[in-house]
């Protein structure tokens, strides 16, 4: 083991690094920034667009149907197209707008005033101008009792560099709502071609209907109504049960179990109950702190992704930030994912083998799977409903639905794949992008019982087989990268599907967690006496592995594929090995301040909320990013400010969802599918619901932001053999 640690440490120090998904975004800016291209005549030509609204209404002061028709050549050849009702209405509204603009009518001035200008600071990365969203969609000029001219807010795009998706000027435009995006696209295309004297390809979309918004509200569809009704019913049940608990029930032990399952008072009491982890040797108290710190890391890294997609006025600063020492902490937030895989494997083995010892090696595998699925799926299903139907109704802003990681419409096609936990291999359009972790962890969990049986029957021989399996999977990851010349920083879906979302390439931390859990099981109750030198050496090696994984690639944005393959493969093993030492030192009394911090009971409530927080944290980040009305400024401090608000609202919303959905449904599951419970001495912490009726769970999770997203997370199903998030 020592030789392997030293080999990994030295090998990692010699390697250069790899950037995660957030690096893709910033690296694009690095490669595409037109330092020498956007100058001279090109810049002077583009600067003519600074008064785009004035230029537009001056050029189209007497618009005709020909101006609205993209196929102008047909008109020149004597052909014509029968105008649609929308064409006629749009033309009439444009004529009225031009007429009232000439006479300085207030509503017309509002519409032109809401347009965005050419952003100042274009040469340093300010490529957005949001105009004034509320002024545009707030325009509502009554023409008659049956018709009014309302504002329609859209983004226009003009590429600064051919083939670049990043270097595109995005400026707000405001048209009458009767005009379609196609009308706007046609007119702006001709205006740009006149002002810039360039031919814009018809394949390039200048205005997309997906970026357009009006003040008109859509009527609720059936699924939206269903979601609101079922949430309301759950809220009513929680409210009534809480009132019954608070005013009419004097003894909690005699309370109706169904009412207790829905009581916010009972569930909150269990959630915020702090337990002394030192009182029970079966509890690994430091795992609460490890889990919570990793989740905080995930949320923080995802906030950088939101900022990367936001209208920053200083995107050019990213070119220096991406090379900074601090950026490595953000780019390598992917190791939080490996932390949760490690915790999943560790807790599964520790709890399951203890149960198998009591039952003589029996393992009810179907019941394990059932408990696991029922534990994870209800909250995930509600998350999908809320994401599809409730999130679009919340907030208002020019970036709503775009400053996030997902497309609401993707869930309409792939929601069932998410509930089957196969979305990481079955589609590239993930419904809730960070749910890929749930799929990988579920697939590993399906395979895990066979490893548990092997460990129970063949002991160390089976452990040696798991080590060999882990090494083979590591070689598989290395081979995929080298043979296919596939980098984690590659653009497109292939790298994410084969390297990031693939179960086989994510298995190493999980298997190391299983092996370490087996080690703890064999040595339960045993105290290892280590001298000060061994303890110091252990911490040096552990911290060196952590530092190497994060900082070894400082100053190197790209690596030869072989070096990158070595780095990715070895760090995926080195990181969980470092965690093995941290957990071992804390459980054996060699953790010092680290153990005091990680084992603090104050982490317990957040740890119990971790699954809810995992599901909904990106909802909060996407919502807060979408309601941005003005350009933002990118800096580490600004991201930190955003992080605290996102994190705070995430925890508040997670508590609400825990009380409303997670705790009641988990309590009902415990009543409908009761399991044989361990003796009281083996259950150090009751779950935040019906402690006597609930199945166990390990809320370990991770993000990946986002990185495909880089930055997601998962939870262990509760069962007699599934790990308990409070026990080890």
């Amino acid at each position: 083991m020592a030789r392997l640690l030293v080999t990994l440490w030295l090998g990692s120090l010699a390697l250069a690094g790899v950037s995660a998904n957030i690096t893709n975004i910033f690296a694009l800016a690095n490669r595409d920034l037109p330092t020498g291209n956007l100058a001279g005549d090109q810049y002077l030509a583009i600067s003519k667009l600074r008064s785009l609204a004035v230029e537009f209404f001056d050029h189209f002061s007497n618009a005709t149907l020909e101006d609205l028709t993209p196929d102008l050549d047909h008109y020149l050849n004597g052909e014509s197209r029968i105008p649609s009702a929308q064409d006629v209405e749009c033309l009439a509204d444009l004529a009225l707008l031009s007429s009232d603009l000439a006479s300085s009518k207030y509503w017309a001035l509002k519409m032109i005033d809401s347009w965005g200008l050419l952003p100042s600071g274009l040469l340093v990365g300010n490529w957005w101008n949001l105009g004034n969203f509320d002024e545009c969609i707030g325009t509502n000029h009554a023409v008659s009792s049956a018709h009014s001219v309302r504002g329609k807010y859209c983004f226009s795009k003009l590429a600064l560099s051919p083939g670049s998706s990043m270097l595109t000027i995005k400026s707000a435009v405001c048209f009458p709502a009767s005009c379609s995006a196609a009308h706007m696209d046609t007119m702006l295309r001709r205006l740009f071609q006149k002002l810039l004297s360039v031919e814009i390809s018809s394949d390039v979309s200048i205005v997309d209907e997906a970026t357009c918004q009006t003040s008109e509200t859509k009527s609720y569809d059936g699924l939206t109504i269903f979601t609101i009704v079922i949430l309301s019913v759950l809220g009513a049940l929680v409210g009534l049960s809480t009132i019954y608990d608070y005013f009419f029930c004097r003894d909690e032990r005699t309370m109706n179990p169904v009412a207790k399952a829905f009581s916010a008072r009972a569930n909150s009491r269990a959630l915020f109950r702090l337990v002394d982890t030192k009182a029970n040797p079966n509890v690994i108290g430091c795992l609460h702190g490890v889990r919570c710190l990793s989740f905080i890391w995930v949320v923080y890294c995802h906030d950088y992704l939101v900022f990367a997609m936001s209208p920053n006025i200083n995107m050019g600063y990213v070119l220096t930030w991406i090379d900074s020492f601090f950026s490595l902490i953000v780019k390598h937030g992917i190791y939080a994912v490996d932390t949760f895989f490690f915790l999943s494997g560790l807790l599964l083995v520790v709890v399951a083998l203890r149960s198998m010892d009591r039952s003589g090696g029996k393992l009810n595998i179907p019941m394990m799977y059932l408990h696991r699925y029922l534990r994870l799926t209800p909250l995930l299903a509600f998350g999908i409903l809320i994401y599809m139907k409730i999130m679009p109704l919340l907030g208002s802003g020019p970036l709503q639905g775009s400053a996030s990681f997902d497309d609401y419409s993707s869930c309409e096609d792939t929601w069932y794949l998410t509930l089957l936990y196969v979305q990481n291999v079955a589609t590239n359009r993930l419904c809730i992008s960070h749910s890929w972790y749930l799929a990988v962890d579920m697939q590993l969990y399906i395979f895990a019982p066979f490893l548990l049986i092997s460990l129970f029957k063949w002991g160390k021989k089976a452990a040696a087989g798991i080590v060999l399996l882990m090494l083979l999977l590591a070689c598989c990851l290395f081979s995929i990268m080298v043979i296919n010349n596939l980098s984690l920083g590659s653009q497109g879906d292939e790298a994410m599907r084969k390297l990031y979302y693939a179960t086989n390439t994510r298995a190493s931390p999980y298997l190391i967690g299983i092996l370490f859990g087996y080690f703890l099981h064999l040595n339960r109750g045993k105290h290892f006496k280590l001298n000060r030198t061994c303890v110091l050496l252990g911490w040096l090696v552990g911290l060196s592995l952590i530092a190497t994984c994060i900082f070894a690639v400082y100053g190197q944005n790209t690596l030869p594929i072989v070096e990158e393959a070595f780095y990715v493969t070895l760090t995926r093993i080195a990181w969980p090995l470092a965690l093995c030492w941290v957990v071992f030192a804390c459980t054996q009394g060699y953790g010092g301040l680290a153990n005091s911090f990680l084992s603090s009971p104050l982490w317990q409530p957040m740890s119990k909320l971790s699954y809810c927080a995992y599901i909904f944290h990106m909802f909060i980040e996407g919502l807060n990013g979408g309601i941005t009305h003005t350009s933002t400024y990118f800096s580490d401090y600004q991201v930190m400010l955003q992080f605290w608000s996102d994190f705070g609202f995430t925890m508040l919303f997670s508590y609400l969802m825990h009380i409303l959905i997670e705790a009641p449904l988990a309590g009902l599951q415990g009543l409908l599918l009761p399991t044989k419970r361990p003796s009281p001495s083996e259950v150090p912490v009751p779950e935040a619901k019906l402690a006597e009726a609930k199945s166990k769970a390990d809320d370990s999770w991770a993000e990946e932001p986002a990185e495909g997203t880089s930055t997601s997370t998962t939870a262990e199903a509760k069962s007699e053999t599934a790990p308990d998030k409070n026990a080890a």
Side-chain angles (χ1 to χ4, degrees):
M1 177 64 72
R3 180 178 300 176
L4 178 59
L5 289 172
V6 174
T7 301
L8 288 171
W9 180 59
L10 294 176
S12 298
L13 284 176
L15 298 176
V18 55
S19 299
N21 193 30
I22 187 172
T23 310
N24 295 343
I25 298 172
F26 294 140
L28 283 173
N30 192 11
R31 289 194 296 268
D32 294 342
L33 189 68
T35 54
N37 297 329
L38 189 62
D41 295 339
Q42 185 180 3
Y43 180 80
L44 292 176
I46 293 177
S47 66
K48 295 179 182 179
L49 303 179
R50 194 171 297 278
S51 301
L52 182 59
V54 176
E55 293 282 359
F56 178 87
F57 287 105
D58 180 61
H59 183 72
F60 293 108
S61 58
N62 295 305
T64 65
L65 284 174
E66 294 181 5
D67 295 321
L68 301 179
T69 306
D71 209 359
L72 182 59
D73 292 337
H74 287 181
Y75 282 93
L76 298 178
N77 295 330
E79 302 177 19
S80 63
R81 176 178 67 88
I82 299 177
S84 66
Q86 187 178 24
D87 292 338
V88 175
E89 185 178 4
C90 174
L91 185 63
D93 287 346
L94 283 174
L96 178 63
L97 176 59
S98 296
S99 174
D100 285 1
L101 189 60
S103 57
S104 300
K105 294 292 183 63
Y106 180 66
W107 77 271
L109 292 176
K110 282 180 61 179
M111 186 167 285
I112 189 175
D113 184 52
S114 65
W115 281 53
L117 304 176
L118 179 72
S120 58
L122 190 66
L123 298 177
V124 293
N126 185 17
W127 302 319
W128 291 65
N129 193 301
L130 303 183
N132 194 304
F133 174 79
D134 296 305
E135 186 178 29
C136 177
I137 67 171
T139 301
N140 191 351
H141 174 63
V143 179
S144 65
S145 59
H147 178 66
S148 62
V149 180
R150 293 177 292 105
K152 183 175 186 176
Y153 180 97
C154 303
F155 278 117
S156 65
K157 299 183 295 182
L158 181 63
L160 304 181
S161 178
S164 171
S165 60
M166 290 290 295
L167 302 186
T168 302
I169 295 177
K170 297 181 180 180
S171 184
V173 294
C174 186
F175 279 78
S178 57
C179 298
S180 67
H183 291 143
M184 304 180 204
D185 186 278
T186 300
M187 301 177 78
L188 286 174
R189 184 183 305 277
R190 291 173 184 162
L191 178 63
F192 289 158
Q193 290 175 172
K194 171 182 176 294
L195 295 178
L196 303 179
S197 299
V198 295
E199 186 73 23
I200 301 177
S201 172
S202 59
D203 296 332
V204 177
S205 175
I206 295 179
V207 180
D208 187 351
E209 192 71 51
T211 68
C212 298
Q213 298 185 58
T214 67
S215 59
E216 182 181 5
T217 58
K218 297 180 180 179
S219 58
Y220 294 168
D221 60 18
L223 189 57
T224 302
I225 296 174
F226 170 78
T227 303
I228 295 174
V229 168
I230 194 170
L231 289 175
S232 301
V233 170
L234 288 173
L237 290 174
V238 169
L240 293 174
S241 298
T242 304
I243 293 174
Y244 171 74
D245 184 7
Y246 194 85
F247 292 102
F248 302 102
C249 184
R250 297 184 179 181
D251 188 352
E252 182 183 356
R253 291 173 295 182
T254 62
M255 185 178 178
N256 182 280
V258 175
K260 188 176 182 181
F262 282 94
S263 171
R265 184 190 187 195
N267 290 328
S268 297
R269 185 186 295 116
L271 176 65
F272 293 106
R273 181 184 293 118
L274 302 182
V275 176
D276 183 9
T277 57
K278 298 179 181 179
N280 194 307
N282 290 325
V283 175
I284 305 178
C286 66
L287 298 188
H288 288 297
V290 172
R291 179 183 294 113
C292 294
L293 290 177
S294 298
F295 173 70
I296 291 172
W297 192 5
V298 165
V299 177
Y300 185 55
C301 292
H302 280 166
D303 271 317
Y304 272 90
L305 286 172
V306 173
F307 259 85
M309 300 174 185
S310 298
N312 297 304
I313 65 174
N314 62 331
M315 280 300 293
Y317 167 69
V318 173
L319 302 181
T320 58
W321 179 89
I322 200 67
D323 294 325
S324 67
F325 186 79
F326 181 79
S327 69
L328 296 172
I329 298 176
V330 178
K331 290 186 290 186
H332 294 131
I334 56 176
Y335 293 121
V337 181
D338 292 340
T339 299
F340 295 117
F341 281 124
F342 169 78
L343 293 178
S344 293
L346 167 63
L347 292 174
L348 172 66
V349 170
V350 168
V351 175
L353 289 182
R354 188 186 309 154
S355 176
M356 293 174 73
D357 283 343
R358 293 194 304 269
S359 63
K362 295 180 180 179
L363 198 62
N364 191 340
I365 297 178
M367 188 59 67
M368 284 180 61
Y369 293 159
L370 180 61
H371 275 287
R372 171 63 169 251
Y373 187 83
L374 294 179
R375 167 68 177 98
L376 298 185
T377 307
L379 189 66
L380 178 60
F382 274 100
I384 293 174
L385 288 174
I386 292 172
Y387 179 76
M388 289 176 59
K389 298 302 178 181
I390 305 300
M391 290 293 293
L393 305 178
L394 302 178
S396 175
L399 302 177
Q400 186 183 35
S402 61
S404 60
F405 313 103
D406 304 308
D407 178 6
Y408 295 139
S409 63
S410 63
C411 283
E412 297 177 1
D413 301 322
T414 63
W415 62 269
Y416 64 95
L417 298 175
T418 303
L419 297 182
L420 293 175
Y421 300 98
V422 295
Q423 67 270 33
N424 63 320
V425 295
T427 181
N428 291 327
R429 300 187 64 211
L430 298 182
C431 172
I432 307 180
S433 61
H434 54 294
S435 67
W436 70 268
Y437 184 90
L438 292 175
V440 173
D441 196 73
M442 177 67 80
Q443 291 158 21
L444 290 171
Y445 187 86
I446 291 174
F447 183 70
F450 304 102
L451 299 181
L452 294 174
I453 295 172
S454 300
L455 287 172
F456 185 84
K457 288 186 175 181
W458 297 297
K460 295 180 180 179
K461 293 181 180 180
I466 295 176
V467 172
L468 179 60
L469 175 62
M470 179 193 66
L471 295 177
L472 290 175
L473 291 175
C475 292
C476 177
L477 171 60
F478 180 87
S479 301
I480 291 174
M481 296 184 67
V482 174
I483 295 175
N484 298 309
N485 193 27
L486 198 59
S487 168
L488 268 179
S490 300
Q491 300 183 45
D493 297 325
E494 185 180 10
M496 299 301 294
R497 186 177 66 255
K498 291 184 176 181
L499 302 180
Y500 209 85
Y501 299 152
T503 304
N504 59 303
T505 62
R506 284 292 183 178
S508 294
Y510 192 86
L511 294 178
I512 291 176
I514 286 178
L515 291 171
F516 185 63
Y518 180 65
F519 169 80
L520 294 180
H521 177 75
L522 290 180
N523 296 280
R524 58 191 183 279
K526 180 180 178 180
H527 180 71
F528 291 84
K529 295 183 179 180
L530 304 179
N531 57 44
R532 183 170 299 181
T533 302
C534 291
V535 173
L536 179 60
L537 181 62
W539 277 108
L540 286 175
V541 172
L543 294 178
S544 296
L545 288 173
I546 292 175
T548 299
C549 292
I550 298 177
F551 302 115
V553 297
Y554 176 59
Q556 303 183 61
N557 285 329
T558 59
L559 288 174
I561 190 60
V562 175
E563 294 183 14
E564 181 181 338
F566 269 116
Y567 178 81
V568 174
T569 302
L570 295 180
T571 54
R572 194 150 286 170
I573 296 175
W575 184 266
L577 288 178
L579 295 179
C580 288
W581 167 257
V582 173
V583 176
F584 175 80
C586 291
T587 56
Q588 293 295 317
Y590 303 116
L593 292 176
N595 183 51
S596 299
F597 178 69
L598 296 175
S599 300
S600 172
L602 297 179
W603 295 114
Q604 293 176 17
M606 186 191 301
S607 182
K608 297 172 185 177
L609 286 175
S610 57
Y611 182 47
C612 268
Y614 150 63
I615 291 291
F616 294 108
H617 78 280
M618 290 175 70
F619 291 17
I620 300 296
E621 291 179 333
L623 175 64
N624 290 342
I627 62 176
T628 299
H629 280 66
T630 59
S631 296
T632 54
Y633 181 81
F634 175 82
S635 71
D636 293 321
Y637 184 67
Q638 292 295 325
V639 177
M640 180 61 74
L641 292 178
Q642 184 64 44
F643 160 76
W644 284 116
S645 61
D646 288 343
F647 180 75
F649 280 107
T650 292
M651 298 314 299
L652 290 174
F653 190 71
S654 299
Y655 171 70
L656 175 63
M657 292 295 100
H658 174 81
I659 295 300
L660 193 65
I661 300 172
E662 184 184 24
L665 296 184
L668 293 179
Q669 177 192 334
L671 295 176
L672 297 175
L673 296 173
T675 58
K676 180 182 178 181
R677 306 299 297 169
S679 62
S681 63
E682 292 174 331
V683 184
V685 182
E687 187 57 19
K689 299 95 184 173
L690 292 175
E692 67 274 14
K694 292 186 72 162
S695 40
K696 298 179 180 179
D698 160 39
D699 287 354
S700 52
W701 31 260
E703 196 298 224
E704 172 181 292
E707 302 201 20
T709 321
S710 191
T711 235
S712 279
T713 49
T714 194
E716 290 291 340
K718 294 190 170 190
S719 69
E720 180 179 291
T721 56
D724 184 270
K725 64 184 173 187
N726 304 304

